[in-house]
Amino acid sequence: MNSDAVLRGLQQAPHRSLFNALGFTEEEKKKPLIGIISSFNEIVPGHMNIDKITEAVKLGVAEAGGMPVVMPAIAVCDGIAMGHTGMKYSLVTRDLIADSTECLARAHGFDALVMIPNCDKNVPGLLMAAARVNIPTVFVSGGPMLAGRVDGRKRSLSSMFEAVGSVSAGTMTEEKLAEYEEKVCPTCGSCSGMYTANSMNCLTEAIGMGLRGNGTIPAVYSARIRLAKTAGYKVMEMLEKNIRPRDIMTEDAFMNALTVDMALGCSTNTMLHLPAIAHEAGIEINMEIANEVSDRTPNLCHLAPAGPTYMEDLNEAGGVYAVMNELNKKGLLKTECMTVTGNTVGENIKDAVNKDPEVIRPIDDPFMPNGGIAVLKGNLAPDTGIVKRSAVVPEMMVHEGPARVFDCEEDAIAAILGGKIKEGDVVVIRYEGPKGGPGMREMLNPTSAIAGMGLGASVALITDGRFSGASRGASIGHVSPEAAVGGPIAFVHEGDIISIDIPANKLDVKISDEEMAKRKAEWKPVTKEVTGYLARYRELVTSGNTGAILKIPGKD
């Protein structure tokens, strides 16, 4: 279906009358109808500039001969939603965004689309919609925030959360905290480290759906406006050439995205989103393949929270294409994949230059010989557990300690800030998975509190929920099966010894199979009362190791 269904022929006279009501001229009704999905709102700092991006895209589309039409997509700010019931409504919006965009696009007969996301769930949600609708589509994001500066050092949102822990530990004054509060988020844009939003915007370049610089050009740079105009031009080229999302988002393209993910040291949330996007494109990604990709892919970047560099530094160093060109020196990419530029990956990256080997390490001198993310398995995580290996201090790569068990995030936070967690402990936060939460909350508050209180090199955190891309340390999330469906994490008792071996990809609780079976037989699930969308979501959502996709009743 395309705009002929709403603009051409005798039977479409009523439809054309409604386009007249919209103010369309006869000349405009003859042009290709290009939908622009704008995630603009005034509550998410990463989206407050998207109105300007949208106007630039419209201009590009119009100059290239199309008729641009703007439609909305919702967005939740994970930072503002963090640490309270609002976080239950973060991941769940990914599917609302995909569903509503599919509805808008298919109901109105668009010929092509330009997607304008920025923050955590908008990028994967719109990529899912693009795969479903499968008409020519280009992505251009709102861009990352510039880093803040405190005492001459660059800082970001994760610094802000950790500062709260430092105040609780008595190592920072409230006056200094107020200075952080004033300075760490100085501009609009997605938060300035390699958190989930920036991870997914960078991977949109890697997978071929975004133009060069989509992931790294700061939100406040005029180059971002120029990129948006170019996106308008490019979508018209894609329409002319009939290049569609499923021509781009192939199995090889997802392997490229996983490879770049490992090199960049992206957020663990990519391990939820890439399988969900692939699923919509008719491709199934088994998360166990992530370790295979990680084993052959060196980690080239240590951006915040893993290191002292930020998105603006990656941009100046050459951006995602420079990282990809380094990877390609060892033949680690599938270079024949098509992209929204109209060229292949190989053609796109051949002239990219690594301008700062301290930000993007050369392929022969990486930060780590393997990738930034590891998938762990064991009797505590029979399916998967996910850790951002590049953000774990060396002394916590292998760790054993007593379990400190909590059935919700709030109880864990109270214990951490109350000084009840000691060196060597392993904090277990369960019933926060896709069904148990429901909504699989991010746990930036507890990880930041641990780091801020000086325990980041001695305390691990394990959850069937998620960790923010801003989290660092031995933070192992997505433990599957989750507690709510009777996964082994539900049977851990206070004081059980947890064994973590990240190099060996192992996560175990040191109890016998017989004891595990006994506890399972005695188990009674914890059920949290929810209504409305969360209740429907809980019934449909699948496990974290499958991307927390929604099942189709009677089919999946």
Side-chain angles (χ1 to χ4, degrees), residues 9 28 40 92 136 174 204-205 208 227 250 264 276 344 368 418-419 425 438 486-487 523 527 554:
E28 287 172 330
F40 168 76
V92 305
E174 291 192 21
T204 301
E205 285 190 59
L227 184 72
T250 62
L264 285 173
T344 65
M368 297 164 51
D425 285 348
W523 170 68
T527 303

Side-chain angles (χ1 to χ4, degrees), residues 144-457:
M145 183 185 292
L146 294 178
R149 283 173 172 76
V150 180
D151 298 329
R153 294 181 59 190
K154 290 184 178 180
R155 300 290 187 182
S156 62
L157 184 66
S158 55
S159 309
M160 188 73 246
F161 278 91
E162 290 179 14
V164 174
S166 297
V167 171
S168 297
T171 58
M172 180 182 288
T173 66
E174 291 192 21
E175 289 75 19
K176 178 58 72 172
L177 178 68
E179 183 181 357
Y180 270 66
E181 187 176 333
E182 185 68 26
K183 294 179 177 178
V184 297
C185 295
T187 73
C188 63
S190 48
C191 295
S192 55
M194 187 55 79
Y195 309 153
T196 306
N198 293 326
S199 295
M200 290 307 304
N201 280 319
C202 286
L203 295 187
T204 301
E205 285 190 59
I207 209 169
M209 291 297 292
L211 300 172
R212 182 176 188 171
N214 179 66
T216 61
I217 297 171
V220 294
Y221 283 14
S222 295
R224 177 65 57 178
I225 301 297
R226 297 198 299 272
L227 184 72
K229 292 177 183 176
T230 303
Y233 306 151
K234 284 295 179 182
V235 78
M236 297 305 294
E237 289 182 21
M238 291 183 69
L239 178 60
E240 182 180 354
K241 296 175 181 178
N242 195 30
I243 299 173
R244 297 169 181 253
R246 291 196 182 196
D247 300 324
I248 295 169
M249 290 194 284
T250 62
E251 186 172 351
D252 280 350
F254 282 101
M255 290 303 102
N256 282 345
L258 277 170
T259 301
V260 174
D261 189 334
M262 297 301 172
L264 285 173
C266 288
S267 165
T268 53
N269 282 312
T270 60
M271 297 295 104
L272 279 176
H273 299 321
L274 287 176
I277 299 160
H279 178 76
E280 298 295 348
I283 298 163
E284 298 304 317
I285 296 180
N286 185 327
M287 271 299 94
E288 291 184 36
I289 200 172
N291 282 340
E292 296 177 28
V293 175
S294 181
D295 286 345
R296 63 175 179 260
T297 307
N299 177 233
L300 304 182
C301 299
H302 264 191
L303 290 100
T309 52
Y310 293 80
M311 296 307 297
E312 62 201 63
D313 302 310
L314 180 59
N315 188 61
E316 293 299 317
V320 175
Y321 277 19
V323 174
M324 294 175 74
N325 202 26
E326 287 289 345
L327 293 169
N328 199 41
K329 292 175 182 178
K330 290 287 181 73
L332 295 174
L333 295 177
K334 311 288 187 180
T335 56
E336 296 304 310
C337 294
M338 179 52 62
T339 74
V340 293
T341 66
N343 298 319
T344 65
V345 166
E347 290 169 331
N348 285 344
I349 68 174
K350 62 182 173 66
D351 296 324
V353 176
N354 181 356
K355 299 177 182 177
D356 191 339
E358 293 303 312
V359 176
I360 305 171
R361 286 285 184 88
I363 192 74
D364 293 322
D365 183 28
F367 283 104
M368 297 164 51
N370 44 23
I373 291 176
V375 178
L376 312 184
K377 297 188 75 171
N379 73 344
L380 187 53
D383 292 336
T384 55
I386 307 291
V387 64
K388 187 171 183 174
R389 174 167 43 198
S390 58
V392 179
V393 294
E395 53 266 44
M396 288 299 290
M397 292 297 246
V398 177
H399 179 75
E400 284 192 1
R404 306 298 309 281
V405 182
F406 305 94
D407 286 345
C408 66
E409 178 188 4
E410 288 83 356
D411 290 349
I413 284 286
I416 295 166
L417 295 181
K420 296 179 181 179
I421 303 302
K422 307 301 182 185
E423 289 186 7
D425 285 348
V426 178
V427 176
V428 177
I429 308 175
R430 61 193 181 190
Y431 295 102
E432 291 287 7
K435 285 184 178 291
M440 204 177 186
R441 287 196 286 182
E442 285 186 344
M443 305 290 176
L444 180 56
N445 272 359
T447 59
S448 297
I450 288 289
M453 297 184 76
L455 296 171

Side-chain angles (χ1 to χ4, degrees), residues 468-491:
S468 166
S471 294
R472 60 187 177 99
S475 303
I476 301 165
H478 308 200
V479 169
S480 301
E482 62 174 294
V485 299
I489 193 172
F491 315 138

Side-chain angles (χ1 to χ4, degrees), residues 15-36:
H15 306 70
R16 290 193 295 273
S17 72
L18 292 169
F19 278 91
N20 290 340
L22 289 167
F24 276 53
T25 65
E26 291 304 310
E27 291 78 10
E28 287 172 330
K29 283 183 281 186
K30 295 174 183 176
K31 295 178 179 179
L33 193 62
I34 311 300
I36 300 173

Side-chain angles (χ1 to χ4, degrees), residues 51-68:
D51 56 343
K52 295 178 177 61
I53 303 296
T54 302
E55 289 304 312
V57 170
K58 287 176 65 178
L59 183 57
V61 167
E63 286 181 345
M67 182 58 210

